PDB file of all heavy atoms in Angstrom:
ATOM      1  N   GLU T   1       0.844  -1.182   0.000  1.00 92.00           N
ATOM      2  CA  GLU T   1       0.000   0.000   0.000  1.00 92.00           C
ATOM      3  C   GLU T   1       0.892   1.250   0.000  1.00 92.00           C
ATOM      4  O   GLU T   1       2.056   1.191   0.391  1.00 92.00           O
ATOM      5  CB  GLU T   1      -0.902   0.013   1.240  1.00 92.00           C
ATOM      6  CG  GLU T   1      -1.807  -1.193   1.365  1.00 92.00           C
ATOM      7  CD  GLU T   1      -2.828  -1.269   0.235  1.00 92.00           C
ATOM      8  OE1 GLU T   1      -3.205  -0.194  -0.302  1.00 92.00           O
ATOM      9  OE2 GLU T   1      -3.254  -2.389  -0.108  1.00 92.00           O
ATOM     10  N   GLU T   2       0.317   2.374  -0.436  1.00 92.00           N
ATOM     11  CA  GLU T   2       1.105   3.606  -0.509  1.00 92.00           C
ATOM     12  C   GLU T   2       1.664   3.998   0.852  1.00 92.00           C
ATOM     13  O   GLU T   2       2.802   4.466   0.960  1.00 92.00           O
ATOM     14  CB  GLU T   2       0.251   4.748  -1.082  1.00 92.00           C
ATOM     15  CG  GLU T   2      -0.075   4.589  -2.563  1.00 92.00           C
ATOM     16  CD  GLU T   2       1.171   4.441  -3.427  1.00 92.00           C
ATOM     17  OE1 GLU T   2       2.121   5.212  -3.240  1.00 92.00           O
ATOM     18  OE2 GLU T   2       1.183   3.547  -4.300  1.00 92.00           O
ATOM     19  N   THR T   3       0.864   3.822   1.892  1.00 93.00           N
ATOM     20  CA  THR T   3       1.353   4.165   3.230  1.00 93.00           C
ATOM     21  C   THR T   3       2.502   3.249   3.649  1.00 93.00           C
ATOM     22  O   THR T   3       3.453   3.694   4.312  1.00 93.00           O
ATOM     23  CB  THR T   3       0.223   4.076   4.266  1.00 93.00           C
ATOM     24  OG1 THR T   3      -0.373   2.755   4.207  1.00 93.00           O
ATOM     25  CG2 THR T   3      -0.842   5.127   4.011  1.00 93.00           C
ATOM     26  N   GLN T   4       2.438   1.994   3.245  1.00 94.00           N
ATOM     27  CA  GLN T   4       3.524   1.063   3.545  1.00 94.00           C
ATOM     28  C   GLN T   4       4.815   1.478   2.850  1.00 94.00           C
ATOM     29  O   GLN T   4       5.908   1.406   3.436  1.00 94.00           O
ATOM     30  CB  GLN T   4       3.158  -0.361   3.099  1.00 94.00           C
ATOM     31  CG  GLN T   4       2.114  -1.057   3.936  1.00 94.00           C
ATOM     32  CD  GLN T   4       1.854  -2.444   3.394  1.00 94.00           C
ATOM     33  OE1 GLN T   4       1.189  -2.618   2.364  1.00 94.00           O
ATOM     34  NE2 GLN T   4       2.376  -3.448   4.065  1.00 94.00           N
ATOM     35  N   LYS T   5       4.701   1.924   1.610  1.00 95.00           N
ATOM     36  CA  LYS T   5       5.892   2.325   0.859  1.00 95.00           C
ATOM     37  C   LYS T   5       6.621   3.468   1.559  1.00 95.00           C
ATOM     38  O   LYS T   5       7.842   3.474   1.670  1.00 95.00           O
ATOM     39  CB  LYS T   5       5.506   2.735  -0.565  1.00 95.00           C
ATOM     40  CG  LYS T   5       4.963   1.605  -1.407  1.00 95.00           C
ATOM     41  CD  LYS T   5       4.453   2.115  -2.746  1.00 95.00           C
ATOM     42  CE  LYS T   5       3.715   1.035  -3.502  1.00 95.00           C
ATOM     43  NZ  LYS T   5       3.101   1.530  -4.757  1.00 95.00           N
ATOM     44  N   GLU T   6       5.854   4.432   2.027  1.00 95.00           N
ATOM     45  CA  GLU T   6       6.470   5.563   2.730  1.00 95.00           C
ATOM     46  C   GLU T   6       7.113   5.108   4.032  1.00 95.00           C
ATOM     47  O   GLU T   6       8.225   5.536   4.373  1.00 95.00           O
ATOM     48  CB  GLU T   6       5.412   6.646   3.003  1.00 95.00           C
ATOM     49  CG  GLU T   6       5.957   7.893   3.684  1.00 95.00           C
ATOM     50  CD  GLU T   6       6.959   8.654   2.830  1.00 95.00           C
ATOM     51  OE1 GLU T   6       6.992   8.447   1.600  1.00 95.00           O
ATOM     52  OE2 GLU T   6       7.723   9.467   3.409  1.00 95.00           O
ATOM     53  N   GLU T   7       6.434   4.224   4.756  1.00 95.00           N
ATOM     54  CA  GLU T   7       6.994   3.722   6.020  1.00 95.00           C
ATOM     55  C   GLU T   7       8.278   2.927   5.771  1.00 95.00           C
ATOM     56  O   GLU T   7       9.240   3.034   6.540  1.00 95.00           O
ATOM     57  CB  GLU T   7       5.958   2.844   6.724  1.00 95.00           C
ATOM     58  CG  GLU T   7       4.760   3.616   7.261  1.00 95.00           C
ATOM     59  CD  GLU T   7       3.632   2.703   7.707  1.00 95.00           C
ATOM     60  OE1 GLU T   7       3.785   1.460   7.556  1.00 95.00           O
ATOM     61  OE2 GLU T   7       2.606   3.215   8.181  1.00 95.00           O
ATOM     62  N   ILE T   8       8.289   2.125   4.711  1.00 95.00           N
ATOM     63  CA  ILE T   8       9.471   1.328   4.381  1.00 95.00           C
ATOM     64  C   ILE T   8      10.635   2.248   3.998  1.00 95.00           C
ATOM     65  O   ILE T   8      11.770   2.064   4.448  1.00 95.00           O
ATOM     66  CB  ILE T   8       9.163   0.345   3.239  1.00 95.00           C
ATOM     67  CG1 ILE T   8       8.189  -0.732   3.731  1.00 95.00           C
ATOM     68  CG2 ILE T   8      10.438  -0.303   2.704  1.00 95.00           C
ATOM     69  CD1 ILE T   8       7.570  -1.557   2.619  1.00 95.00           C
ATOM     70  N   LYS T   9      10.340   3.236   3.161  1.00 96.00           N
ATOM     71  CA  LYS T   9      11.389   4.187   2.748  1.00 96.00           C
ATOM     72  C   LYS T   9      11.979   4.909   3.950  1.00 96.00           C
ATOM     73  O   LYS T   9      13.206   4.981   4.113  1.00 96.00           O
ATOM     74  CB  LYS T   9      10.819   5.202   1.760  1.00 96.00           C
ATOM     75  CG  LYS T   9      11.856   6.181   1.217  1.00 96.00           C
ATOM     76  CD  LYS T   9      11.218   7.342   0.490  1.00 96.00           C
ATOM     77  CE  LYS T   9      10.683   8.374   1.464  1.00 96.00           C
ATOM     78  NZ  LYS T   9      10.217   9.613   0.785  1.00 96.00           N
ATOM     79  N   VAL T  10      11.117   5.433   4.795  1.00 96.00           N
ATOM     80  CA  VAL T  10      11.585   6.172   5.974  1.00 96.00           C
ATOM     81  C   VAL T  10      12.367   5.252   6.904  1.00 96.00           C
ATOM     82  O   VAL T  10      13.431   5.616   7.418  1.00 96.00           O
ATOM     83  CB  VAL T  10      10.390   6.812   6.708  1.00 96.00           C
ATOM     84  CG1 VAL T  10      10.829   7.376   8.057  1.00 96.00           C
ATOM     85  CG2 VAL T  10       9.778   7.920   5.849  1.00 96.00           C
ATOM     86  N   GLY T  11      11.856   4.040   7.106  1.00 95.00           N
ATOM     87  CA  GLY T  11      12.536   3.099   7.995  1.00 95.00           C
ATOM     88  C   GLY T  11      13.894   2.690   7.460  1.00 95.00           C
ATOM     89  O   GLY T  11      14.873   2.603   8.218  1.00 95.00           O
ATOM     90  N   TRP T  12      13.976   2.434   6.145  1.00 95.00           N
ATOM     91  CA  TRP T  12      15.262   2.041   5.558  1.00 95.00           C
ATOM     92  C   TRP T  12      16.269   3.182   5.639  1.00 95.00           C
ATOM     93  O   TRP T  12      17.426   2.976   5.987  1.00 95.00           O
ATOM     94  CB  TRP T  12      15.065   1.614   4.103  1.00 95.00           C
ATOM     95  CG  TRP T  12      16.326   1.074   3.506  1.00 95.00           C
ATOM     96  CD1 TRP T  12      16.765  -0.217   3.522  1.00 95.00           C
ATOM     97  CD2 TRP T  12      17.344   1.824   2.821  1.00 95.00           C
ATOM     98  NE1 TRP T  12      17.991  -0.323   2.901  1.00 95.00           N
ATOM     99  CE2 TRP T  12      18.362   0.910   2.464  1.00 95.00           C
ATOM    100  CE3 TRP T  12      17.487   3.169   2.494  1.00 95.00           C
ATOM    101  CZ2 TRP T  12      19.512   1.311   1.772  1.00 95.00           C
ATOM    102  CZ3 TRP T  12      18.623   3.570   1.811  1.00 95.00           C
ATOM    103  CH2 TRP T  12      19.616   2.650   1.461  1.00 95.00           C
ATOM    104  N   ARG T  13      15.835   4.380   5.340  1.00 96.00           N
ATOM    105  CA  ARG T  13      16.752   5.527   5.389  1.00 96.00           C
ATOM    106  C   ARG T  13      17.201   5.816   6.814  1.00 96.00           C
ATOM    107  O   ARG T  13      18.360   6.198   7.046  1.00 96.00           O
ATOM    108  CB  ARG T  13      16.094   6.762   4.766  1.00 96.00           C
ATOM    109  CG  ARG T  13      15.893   6.627   3.261  1.00 96.00           C
ATOM    110  CD  ARG T  13      15.387   7.926   2.638  1.00 96.00           C
ATOM    111  NE  ARG T  13      15.253   7.782   1.190  1.00 96.00           N
ATOM    112  CZ  ARG T  13      14.941   8.776   0.360  1.00 96.00           C
ATOM    113  NH1 ARG T  13      14.734   9.996   0.845  1.00 96.00           N
ATOM    114  NH2 ARG T  13      14.833   8.546  -0.938  1.00 96.00           N
ATOM    115  N   ARG T  14      16.313   5.622   7.768  1.00 95.00           N
ATOM    116  CA  ARG T  14      16.678   5.822   9.170  1.00 95.00           C
ATOM    117  C   ARG T  14      17.774   4.846   9.593  1.00 95.00           C
ATOM    118  O   ARG T  14      18.680   5.188  10.354  1.00 95.00           O
ATOM    119  CB  ARG T  14      15.441   5.631  10.044  1.00 95.00           C
ATOM    120  CG  ARG T  14      15.695   5.847  11.540  1.00 95.00           C
ATOM    121  CD  ARG T  14      14.444   5.539  12.345  1.00 95.00           C
ATOM    122  NE  ARG T  14      14.024   4.157  12.168  1.00 95.00           N
ATOM    123  CZ  ARG T  14      12.855   3.785  11.665  1.00 95.00           C
ATOM    124  NH1 ARG T  14      11.975   4.692  11.300  1.00 95.00           N
ATOM    125  NH2 ARG T  14      12.547   2.504  11.522  1.00 95.00           N
ATOM    126  N   ALA T  15      17.704   3.615   9.080  1.00 94.00           N
ATOM    127  CA  ALA T  15      18.666   2.584   9.454  1.00 94.00           C
ATOM    128  C   ALA T  15      19.943   2.625   8.609  1.00 94.00           C
ATOM    129  O   ALA T  15      20.891   1.903   8.913  1.00 94.00           O
ATOM    130  CB  ALA T  15      18.012   1.207   9.334  1.00 94.00           C
ATOM    131  N   ASN T  16      19.967   3.469   7.569  1.00 96.00           N
ATOM    132  CA  ASN T  16      21.127   3.533   6.674  1.00 96.00           C
ATOM    133  C   ASN T  16      21.547   4.982   6.473  1.00 96.00           C
ATOM    134  O   ASN T  16      21.680   5.469   5.346  1.00 96.00           O
ATOM    135  CB  ASN T  16      20.798   2.877   5.332  1.00 96.00           C
ATOM    136  CG  ASN T  16      20.587   1.382   5.447  1.00 96.00           C
ATOM    137  OD1 ASN T  16      21.515   0.598   5.354  1.00 96.00           O
ATOM    138  ND2 ASN T  16      19.334   0.987   5.647  1.00 96.00           N
ATOM    139  N   ARG T  17      21.801   5.643   7.569  1.00 97.00           N
ATOM    140  CA  ARG T  17      22.079   7.083   7.525  1.00 97.00           C
ATOM    141  C   ARG T  17      23.357   7.407   6.759  1.00 97.00           C
ATOM    142  O   ARG T  17      23.459   8.458   6.124  1.00 97.00           O
ATOM    143  CB  ARG T  17      22.138   7.649   8.941  1.00 97.00           C
ATOM    144  CG  ARG T  17      20.821   7.535   9.702  1.00 97.00           C
ATOM    145  CD  ARG T  17      20.895   8.177  11.079  1.00 97.00           C
ATOM    146  NE  ARG T  17      19.708   7.896  11.875  1.00 97.00           N
ATOM    147  CZ  ARG T  17      18.567   8.583  11.806  1.00 97.00           C
ATOM    148  NH1 ARG T  17      18.469   9.591  10.957  1.00 97.00           N
ATOM    149  NH2 ARG T  17      17.545   8.265  12.569  1.00 97.00           N
ATOM    150  N   SER T  18      24.345   6.541   6.832  1.00 98.00           N
ATOM    151  CA  SER T  18      25.602   6.819   6.127  1.00 98.00           C
ATOM    152  C   SER T  18      25.404   6.792   4.615  1.00 98.00           C
ATOM    153  O   SER T  18      25.991   7.605   3.886  1.00 98.00           O
ATOM    154  CB  SER T  18      26.678   5.813   6.532  1.00 98.00           C
ATOM    155  OG  SER T  18      27.029   5.962   7.888  1.00 98.00           O
ATOM    156  N   ILE T  19      24.582   5.866   4.132  1.00 98.00           N
ATOM    157  CA  ILE T  19      24.288   5.820   2.697  1.00 98.00           C
ATOM    158  C   ILE T  19      23.510   7.059   2.281  1.00 98.00           C
ATOM    159  O   ILE T  19      23.800   7.677   1.242  1.00 98.00           O
ATOM    160  CB  ILE T  19      23.524   4.536   2.337  1.00 98.00           C
ATOM    161  CG1 ILE T  19      24.451   3.320   2.488  1.00 98.00           C
ATOM    162  CG2 ILE T  19      22.960   4.610   0.921  1.00 98.00           C
ATOM    163  CD1 ILE T  19      23.774   1.987   2.259  1.00 98.00           C
ATOM    164  N   VAL T  20      22.522   7.435   3.078  1.00 98.00           N
ATOM    165  CA  VAL T  20      21.740   8.634   2.774  1.00 98.00           C
ATOM    166  C   VAL T  20      22.656   9.857   2.715  1.00 98.00           C
ATOM    167  O   VAL T  20      22.577  10.670   1.780  1.00 98.00           O
ATOM    168  CB  VAL T  20      20.625   8.832   3.821  1.00 98.00           C
ATOM    169  CG1 VAL T  20      19.924  10.175   3.609  1.00 98.00           C
ATOM    170  CG2 VAL T  20      19.612   7.697   3.740  1.00 98.00           C
ATOM    171  N   GLN T  21      23.541   9.986   3.690  1.00 98.00           N
ATOM    172  CA  GLN T  21      24.471  11.113   3.708  1.00 98.00           C
ATOM    173  C   GLN T  21      25.392  11.084   2.492  1.00 98.00           C
ATOM    174  O   GLN T  21      25.747  12.130   1.928  1.00 98.00           O
ATOM    175  CB  GLN T  21      25.290  11.098   4.993  1.00 98.00           C
ATOM    176  CG  GLN T  21      26.174  12.335   5.180  1.00 98.00           C
ATOM    177  CD  GLN T  21      25.359  13.612   5.258  1.00 98.00           C
ATOM    178  OE1 GLN T  21      24.377  13.703   6.011  1.00 98.00           O
ATOM    179  NE2 GLN T  21      25.738  14.611   4.462  1.00 98.00           N
ATOM    180  N   PHE T  22      25.769   9.884   2.075  1.00 98.00           N
ATOM    181  CA  PHE T  22      26.651   9.726   0.920  1.00 98.00           C
ATOM    182  C   PHE T  22      26.012  10.297  -0.343  1.00 98.00           C
ATOM    183  O   PHE T  22      26.695  10.912  -1.166  1.00 98.00           O
ATOM    184  CB  PHE T  22      26.980   8.245   0.744  1.00 98.00           C
ATOM    185  CG  PHE T  22      28.028   7.947  -0.290  1.00 98.00           C
ATOM    186  CD1 PHE T  22      29.259   8.578  -0.270  1.00 98.00           C
ATOM    187  CD2 PHE T  22      27.787   7.008  -1.287  1.00 98.00           C
ATOM    188  CE1 PHE T  22      30.230   8.291  -1.226  1.00 98.00           C
ATOM    189  CE2 PHE T  22      28.742   6.705  -2.244  1.00 98.00           C
ATOM    190  CZ  PHE T  22      29.965   7.359  -2.208  1.00 98.00           C
ATOM    191  N   TRP T  23      24.694  10.092  -0.513  1.00 98.00           N
ATOM    192  CA  TRP T  23      24.013  10.671  -1.686  1.00 98.00           C
ATOM    193  C   TRP T  23      24.247  12.181  -1.754  1.00 98.00           C
ATOM    194  O   TRP T  23      24.605  12.714  -2.795  1.00 98.00           O
ATOM    195  CB  TRP T  23      22.500  10.446  -1.619  1.00 98.00           C
ATOM    196  CG  TRP T  23      22.043   9.036  -1.545  1.00 98.00           C
ATOM    197  CD1 TRP T  23      22.678   7.922  -1.999  1.00 98.00           C
ATOM    198  CD2 TRP T  23      20.799   8.596  -0.980  1.00 98.00           C
ATOM    199  NE1 TRP T  23      21.911   6.812  -1.755  1.00 98.00           N
ATOM    200  CE2 TRP T  23      20.759   7.186  -1.132  1.00 98.00           C
ATOM    201  CE3 TRP T  23      19.721   9.241  -0.382  1.00 98.00           C
ATOM    202  CZ2 TRP T  23      19.667   6.438  -0.691  1.00 98.00           C
ATOM    203  CZ3 TRP T  23      18.640   8.488   0.066  1.00 98.00           C
ATOM    204  CH2 TRP T  23      18.624   7.102  -0.093  1.00 98.00           C
ATOM    205  N   TYR T  24      24.018  12.841  -0.605  1.00 98.00           N
ATOM    206  CA  TYR T  24      24.093  14.303  -0.584  1.00 98.00           C
ATOM    207  C   TYR T  24      25.542  14.786  -0.662  1.00 98.00           C
ATOM    208  O   TYR T  24      25.819  15.815  -1.297  1.00 98.00           O
ATOM    209  CB  TYR T  24      23.385  14.833   0.656  1.00 98.00           C
ATOM    210  CG  TYR T  24      21.920  14.443   0.680  1.00 98.00           C
ATOM    211  CD1 TYR T  24      21.409  13.598   1.654  1.00 98.00           C
ATOM    212  CD2 TYR T  24      21.047  14.899  -0.317  1.00 98.00           C
ATOM    213  CE1 TYR T  24      20.071  13.212   1.638  1.00 98.00           C
ATOM    214  CE2 TYR T  24      19.715  14.526  -0.335  1.00 98.00           C
ATOM    215  CZ  TYR T  24      19.233  13.680   0.652  1.00 98.00           C
ATOM    216  OH  TYR T  24      17.917  13.303   0.626  1.00 98.00           O
ATOM    217  N   ASP T  25      26.448  14.046  -0.050  1.00 98.00           N
ATOM    218  CA  ASP T  25      27.860  14.427  -0.125  1.00 98.00           C
ATOM    219  C   ASP T  25      28.371  14.337  -1.565  1.00 98.00           C
ATOM    220  O   ASP T  25      29.108  15.223  -2.030  1.00 98.00           O
ATOM    221  CB  ASP T  25      28.708  13.532   0.776  1.00 98.00           C
ATOM    222  CG  ASP T  25      28.486  13.804   2.252  1.00 98.00           C
ATOM    223  OD1 ASP T  25      27.920  14.872   2.581  1.00 98.00           O
ATOM    224  OD2 ASP T  25      28.862  12.948   3.080  1.00 98.00           O
ATOM    225  N   VAL T  26      28.000  13.265  -2.270  1.00 98.00           N
ATOM    226  CA  VAL T  26      28.421  13.110  -3.665  1.00 98.00           C
ATOM    227  C   VAL T  26      27.818  14.218  -4.526  1.00 98.00           C
ATOM    228  O   VAL T  26      28.515  14.834  -5.349  1.00 98.00           O
ATOM    229  CB  VAL T  26      28.021  11.715  -4.207  1.00 98.00           C
ATOM    230  CG1 VAL T  26      28.155  11.668  -5.730  1.00 98.00           C
ATOM    231  CG2 VAL T  26      28.901  10.639  -3.575  1.00 98.00           C
ATOM    232  N   GLU T  27      26.547  14.493  -4.349  1.00 98.00           N
ATOM    233  CA  GLU T  27      25.905  15.543  -5.151  1.00 98.00           C
ATOM    234  C   GLU T  27      26.541  16.902  -4.898  1.00 98.00           C
ATOM    235  O   GLU T  27      26.859  17.646  -5.845  1.00 98.00           O
ATOM    236  CB  GLU T  27      24.411  15.607  -4.849  1.00 98.00           C
ATOM    237  CG  GLU T  27      23.697  16.685  -5.654  1.00 98.00           C
ATOM    238  CD  GLU T  27      22.177  16.642  -5.524  1.00 98.00           C
ATOM    239  OE1 GLU T  27      21.632  15.574  -5.194  1.00 98.00           O
ATOM    240  OE2 GLU T  27      21.544  17.688  -5.772  1.00 98.00           O
ATOM    241  N   ASN T  28      26.749  17.247  -3.639  1.00 98.00           N
ATOM    242  CA  ASN T  28      27.319  18.553  -3.304  1.00 98.00           C
ATOM    243  C   ASN T  28      28.752  18.677  -3.806  1.00 98.00           C
ATOM    244  O   ASN T  28      29.159  19.738  -4.305  1.00 98.00           O
ATOM    245  CB  ASN T  28      27.264  18.785  -1.796  1.00 98.00           C
ATOM    246  CG  ASN T  28      25.842  18.983  -1.287  1.00 98.00           C
ATOM    247  OD1 ASN T  28      24.961  19.419  -2.044  1.00 98.00           O
ATOM    248  ND2 ASN T  28      25.606  18.663  -0.031  1.00 98.00           N
ATOM    249  N   THR T  29      29.517  17.591  -3.683  1.00 98.00           N
ATOM    250  CA  THR T  29      30.901  17.624  -4.147  1.00 98.00           C
ATOM    251  C   THR T  29      30.964  17.761  -5.660  1.00 98.00           C
ATOM    252  O   THR T  29      31.774  18.524  -6.199  1.00 98.00           O
ATOM    253  CB  THR T  29      31.652  16.350  -3.701  1.00 98.00           C
ATOM    254  OG1 THR T  29      31.556  16.217  -2.279  1.00 98.00           O
ATOM    255  CG2 THR T  29      33.118  16.420  -4.093  1.00 98.00           C
ATOM    256  N   ALA T  30      30.103  17.038  -6.352  1.00 98.00           N
ATOM    257  CA  ALA T  30      30.053  17.142  -7.810  1.00 98.00           C
ATOM    258  C   ALA T  30      29.652  18.549  -8.236  1.00 98.00           C
ATOM    259  O   ALA T  30      30.259  19.144  -9.134  1.00 98.00           O
ATOM    260  CB  ALA T  30      29.089  16.109  -8.374  1.00 98.00           C
ATOM    261  N   ARG T  31      28.650  19.102  -7.604  1.00 98.00           N
ATOM    262  CA  ARG T  31      28.179  20.440  -7.962  1.00 98.00           C
ATOM    263  C   ARG T  31      29.273  21.483  -7.741  1.00 98.00           C
ATOM    264  O   ARG T  31      29.539  22.316  -8.621  1.00 98.00           O
ATOM    265  CB  ARG T  31      26.938  20.800  -7.142  1.00 98.00           C
ATOM    266  CG  ARG T  31      26.368  22.173  -7.486  1.00 98.00           C
ATOM    267  CD  ARG T  31      25.189  22.545  -6.604  1.00 98.00           C
ATOM    268  NE  ARG T  31      24.053  21.665  -6.824  1.00 98.00           N
ATOM    269  CZ  ARG T  31      23.633  20.750  -5.958  1.00 98.00           C
ATOM    270  NH1 ARG T  31      24.272  20.583  -4.790  1.00 98.00           N
ATOM    271  NH2 ARG T  31      22.593  19.994  -6.229  1.00 98.00           N
ATOM    272  N   ASP T  32      29.905  21.433  -6.575  1.00 98.00           N
ATOM    273  CA  ASP T  32      30.959  22.407  -6.282  1.00 98.00           C
ATOM    274  C   ASP T  32      32.108  22.290  -7.278  1.00 98.00           C
ATOM    275  O   ASP T  32      32.691  23.308  -7.696  1.00 98.00           O
ATOM    276  CB  ASP T  32      31.480  22.202  -4.859  1.00 98.00           C
ATOM    277  CG  ASP T  32      30.457  22.579  -3.795  1.00 98.00           C
ATOM    278  OD1 ASP T  32      29.472  23.266  -4.136  1.00 98.00           O
ATOM    279  OD2 ASP T  32      30.634  22.170  -2.632  1.00 98.00           O
ATOM    280  N   THR T  33      32.427  21.069  -7.675  1.00 98.00           N
ATOM    281  CA  THR T  33      33.527  20.860  -8.619  1.00 98.00           C
ATOM    282  C   THR T  33      33.187  21.409  -9.997  1.00 98.00           C
ATOM    283  O   THR T  33      34.029  22.013 -10.668  1.00 98.00           O
ATOM    284  CB  THR T  33      33.867  19.364  -8.709  1.00 98.00           C
ATOM    285  OG1 THR T  33      34.220  18.885  -7.409  1.00 98.00           O
ATOM    286  CG2 THR T  33      35.033  19.117  -9.651  1.00 98.00           C
ATOM    287  N   VAL T  34      31.946  21.215 -10.428  1.00 98.00           N
ATOM    288  CA  VAL T  34      31.517  21.766 -11.715  1.00 98.00           C
ATOM    289  C   VAL T  34      31.581  23.292 -11.681  1.00 98.00           C
ATOM    290  O   VAL T  34      31.998  23.941 -12.656  1.00 98.00           O
ATOM    291  CB  VAL T  34      30.096  21.290 -12.067  1.00 98.00           C
ATOM    292  CG1 VAL T  34      29.564  22.038 -13.289  1.00 98.00           C
ATOM    293  CG2 VAL T  34      30.085  19.792 -12.322  1.00 98.00           C
ATOM    294  N   LEU T  35      31.204  23.879 -10.568  1.00 97.00           N
ATOM    295  CA  LEU T  35      31.141  25.335 -10.477  1.00 97.00           C
ATOM    296  C   LEU T  35      32.509  25.992 -10.463  1.00 97.00           C
ATOM    297  O   LEU T  35      32.706  27.039 -11.086  1.00 97.00           O
ATOM    298  CB  LEU T  35      30.357  25.736  -9.217  1.00 97.00           C
ATOM    299  CG  LEU T  35      28.844  25.497  -9.276  1.00 97.00           C
ATOM    300  CD1 LEU T  35      28.209  25.745  -7.914  1.00 97.00           C
ATOM    301  CD2 LEU T  35      28.196  26.402 -10.333  1.00 97.00           C
ATOM    302  N   ASP T  36      33.480  25.385  -9.757  1.00 96.00           N
ATOM    303  CA  ASP T  36      34.780  26.080  -9.648  1.00 96.00           C
ATOM    304  C   ASP T  36      35.956  25.318 -10.253  1.00 96.00           C
ATOM    305  O   ASP T  36      37.073  25.847 -10.317  1.00 96.00           O
ATOM    306  CB  ASP T  36      35.084  26.447  -8.196  1.00 96.00           C
ATOM    307  CG  ASP T  36      35.260  25.242  -7.268  1.00 96.00           C
ATOM    308  OD1 ASP T  36      35.490  24.126  -7.760  1.00 96.00           O
ATOM    309  OD2 ASP T  36      35.168  25.431  -6.043  1.00 96.00           O
ATOM    310  N   GLY T  37      35.741  24.066 -10.671  1.00 96.00           N
ATOM    311  CA  GLY T  37      36.798  23.313 -11.336  1.00 96.00           C
ATOM    312  C   GLY T  37      37.889  22.799 -10.420  1.00 96.00           C
ATOM    313  O   GLY T  37      38.861  22.204 -10.894  1.00 96.00           O
ATOM    314  N   ARG T  38      37.760  23.000  -9.122  1.00 97.00           N
ATOM    315  CA  ARG T  38      38.787  22.553  -8.181  1.00 97.00           C
ATOM    316  C   ARG T  38      38.675  21.057  -7.922  1.00 97.00           C
ATOM    317  O   ARG T  38      37.583  20.480  -7.968  1.00 97.00           O
ATOM    318  CB  ARG T  38      38.661  23.314  -6.859  1.00 97.00           C
ATOM    319  CG  ARG T  38      38.981  24.800  -6.958  1.00 97.00           C
ATOM    320  CD  ARG T  38      38.652  25.506  -5.663  1.00 97.00           C
ATOM    321  NE  ARG T  38      39.294  24.859  -4.515  1.00 97.00           N
ATOM    322  CZ  ARG T  38      38.960  25.102  -3.245  1.00 97.00           C
ATOM    323  NH1 ARG T  38      37.968  25.941  -2.973  1.00 97.00           N
ATOM    324  NH2 ARG T  38      39.592  24.489  -2.280  1.00 97.00           N
ATOM    325  N   THR T  39      39.819  20.431  -7.621  1.00 98.00           N
ATOM    326  CA  THR T  39      39.846  19.007  -7.294  1.00 98.00           C
ATOM    327  C   THR T  39      39.451  18.804  -5.838  1.00 98.00           C
ATOM    328  O   THR T  39      39.904  19.540  -4.955  1.00 98.00           O
ATOM    329  CB  THR T  39      41.255  18.430  -7.542  1.00 98.00           C
ATOM    330  OG1 THR T  39      41.572  18.584  -8.922  1.00 98.00           O
ATOM    331  CG2 THR T  39      41.322  16.958  -7.167  1.00 98.00           C
ATOM    332  N   ARG T  40      38.610  17.811  -5.612  1.00 98.00           N
ATOM    333  CA  ARG T  40      38.146  17.512  -4.261  1.00 98.00           C
ATOM    334  C   ARG T  40      38.189  16.011  -4.022  1.00 98.00           C
ATOM    335  O   ARG T  40      38.023  15.223  -4.949  1.00 98.00           O
ATOM    336  CB  ARG T  40      36.702  18.005  -4.059  1.00 98.00           C
ATOM    337  CG  ARG T  40      36.557  19.505  -4.061  1.00 98.00           C
ATOM    338  CD  ARG T  40      35.072  19.907  -4.012  1.00 98.00           C
ATOM    339  NE  ARG T  40      34.940  21.329  -3.750  1.00 98.00           N
ATOM    340  CZ  ARG T  40      35.055  22.275  -4.681  1.00 98.00           C
ATOM    341  NH1 ARG T  40      35.276  21.928  -5.936  1.00 98.00           N
ATOM    342  NH2 ARG T  40      34.912  23.547  -4.351  1.00 98.00           N
TER     343      ARG T  40
END
């Protein structure tokens, strides 16, 4: 059910915080690199 999907998503992300953080770290690092060309 739709409510189950949201609960599963939230529960999985809660239990895998390092992976969730990795998504945002990769995106932010890629964006900053595109903007200024610096190596990171």
Side-chain angles (χ1 to χ4, degrees):
E1 301 295 331
E2 290 304 314
T3 55
Q4 288 180 285
K5 294 173 189 175
E6 182 64 19
E7 291 169 358
I8 292 167
K9 183 192 79 172
V10 170
W12 186 89
R13 292 187 178 186
R14 181 184 60 241
N16 293 272
R17 297 183 188 276
S18 294
I19 291 176
V20 173
Q21 187 61 49
F22 188 52
W23 301 334
Y24 300 115
D25 289 344
V26 167
E27 180 172 337
N28 291 334
T29 304
R31 181 183 295 109
D32 291 344
T33 302
V34 171
L35 288 172
D36 64 18
R38 293 172 53 194
T39 299
R40 292 174 169 81

